[in-house]
Amino acid sequence: MSESAPRPSSLIHTVYGEYVRRLGGWISIADLIALMAELDVEAPAVRSAISRLKKAGTLLQERRAGTGYRLAPAMEPVFEEGDRRIFHSLEPAELSDGWVVAVFSVPESERAHRHQLRSRLSWLGFGNAAPGVWLAPARLLPDARRLLERLGLSAYVHLFLSAEYAGFSELRTAVASWWDLPAIEAQYAAFTDAWRPVAEQLRGQHRTDPVEAFRAYVPMLTEWRRLPYLDPGLPEPLLPADWNAVPARAVFTELHGRLAEPSLRYVEKVTGLSESQEPPCPPERPTPPPPTC
């Protein structure tokens, strides 16, 4: 596994995204602490991370059968976007798909927005072709629109769809200057080195123990989920010949297929919830009437 352990807040983010949303959206702090203990995160670190996530507006405290937390409604689109990128954007784009180009201009008096635009476009996988000019495979247009609108930055940006590159440099050379491909490859190599041995070990097992699945799957998914953002999914003809995203994706796909379901079964056991069951409703709710449980 990775030499540097993921931060508690990152692990909690994964637990909410992969499990809590599927189990009604709410989890008690006691159950969360129990789950995090299996990931070698102690209770004080869990409470501290929860406090930061609450302050950031990611989580809302809600008392049901004990004190717990649910995702803020504004976070649901963020997690839905994450689902698309993490689980459904594993293959490179086609060169014939074209490009989305983002051009922005921000007044000096609002330069904080300029920094925010750069960082968020980079996070989405856009490459920087020139000052204020960013581009990515065309399939990233919906994600870019949603993100810019959600952050209130759409007024500063013009988005264009372009079918093909018309010159003058060789496109593969230009792409290598717009994206830091060696840095992306380094991230993929670290993932593969960390998790391929785990995949190989699991191949010899007929059954995966649910708690062991949980212990492996959460840190693995936490490490993986940033990679589909760093990697824009460039068309294969523009990539290095030995592009190492391919073996990394194979490792992720294998571990996801092996660990996702048994780890969910473990979370259901700890929380007493299932995918078809909402968390218990609190004994009293103000009007309007409470939702059906």
Side-chain angles (χ1 to χ4, degrees):
M1 298 185 187
S2 298
E3 295 179 1
S4 57
R7 294 179 302 171
S9 58
S10 295
L11 294 170
I12 291 172
H13 189 281
T14 298
V15 168
Y16 268 86
E18 180 66 8
Y19 307 114
V20 177
R21 286 191 304 152
R22 297 167 65 178
L23 302 177
W26 178 93
I27 187 173
S28 72
I29 187 65
D31 287 345
L32 182 60
I33 287 173
L35 291 172
M36 296 296 289
E38 294 294 344
L39 304 175
D40 298 321
V41 180
E42 297 181 351
V46 176
R47 295 185 184 278
S48 178
I50 286 290
S51 177
R52 290 194 298 272
L53 290 169
K54 179 182 175 183
K55 184 178 295 185
T58 302
L59 299 179
L60 299 176
Q61 184 173 345
E62 186 175 300
R63 187 169 183 82
R64 295 192 173 192
T67 298
Y69 294 84
R70 69 179 301 114
L71 280 175
M75 293 303 298
E76 190 58 36
V78 178
F79 277 84
E80 290 175 355
E81 176 188 294
D83 288 343
R84 290 189 294 272
R85 293 295 289 267
I86 294 166
F87 299 109
H88 304 295
S89 299
L90 299 179
E91 297 301 323
E94 296 292 332
L95 195 55
S96 60
D97 294 343
W99 305 89
V100 55
V101 180
V103 180
F104 66 81
S105 177
V106 180
E108 182 62 25
S109 60
E110 301 178 60
R111 57 182 177 272
H113 290 319
R114 188 183 307 153
H115 172 74
Q116 191 178 15
L117 276 165
R118 290 170 180 159
S119 64
R120 299 316 295 172
L121 288 172
S122 178
W123 173 246
L124 274 179
F126 277 66
N128 187 201
V133 180
W134 296 70
L135 78 162
R139 68 184 183 186
L140 295 188
L141 174 60
D143 285 349
R145 290 185 64 90
R146 282 188 291 264
L147 179 72
L148 294 170
E149 289 170 353
R150 187 168 67 243
L151 296 179
L153 297 172
S154 58
Y156 303 100
V157 184
H158 298 284
L159 296 174
F160 301 87
L161 280 178
S162 173
E164 62 182 52
Y165 179 73
F168 290 95
S169 299
E170 200 272 326
L171 181 55
R172 185 167 179 170
T173 302
V175 161
S177 69
W178 298 337
W179 280 273
D180 189 347
L181 298 181
I184 297 173
E185 286 193 296
Q187 296 278 354
Y188 276 126
F191 179 87
T192 303
D193 291 346
W195 295 102
R196 178 183 280 156
V198 178
E200 291 172 346
Q201 181 181 1
L202 289 171
R203 286 174 200 155
Q205 300 179 9
H206 295 294
R207 177 183 175 275
T208 304
D209 179 70
V211 65
E212 292 299 329
F214 177 81
R215 289 171 181 163
Y217 188 60
V218 173
M220 185 278 293
L221 183 56
T222 301
E223 186 170 346
W224 173 262
R225 61 183 170 85
R226 61 187 175 178
L227 291 175
Y229 285 91
L230 298 176
D231 179 1
L234 294 170
E236 190 172 350
L238 305 180
L239 295 170
D242 56 350
W243 183 241
N244 62 1
V246 177
R249 288 177 185 136
V251 169
F252 168 74
T253 300
E254 181 176 355
L255 288 174
H256 171 67
R258 185 69 186 251
L259 301 175
E261 283 306 308
S263 67
L264 176 61
R265 302 287 85 81
Y266 174 69
V267 175
E268 289 177 331
K269 179 181 177 181
V270 170
T271 62
L273 299 170
S274 66
E275 286 190 86
S276 60
Q277 178 183 346
E278 288 283 337
C281 284
E284 294 183 7
R285 279 189 182 269
T287 55
T292 302
C293 292

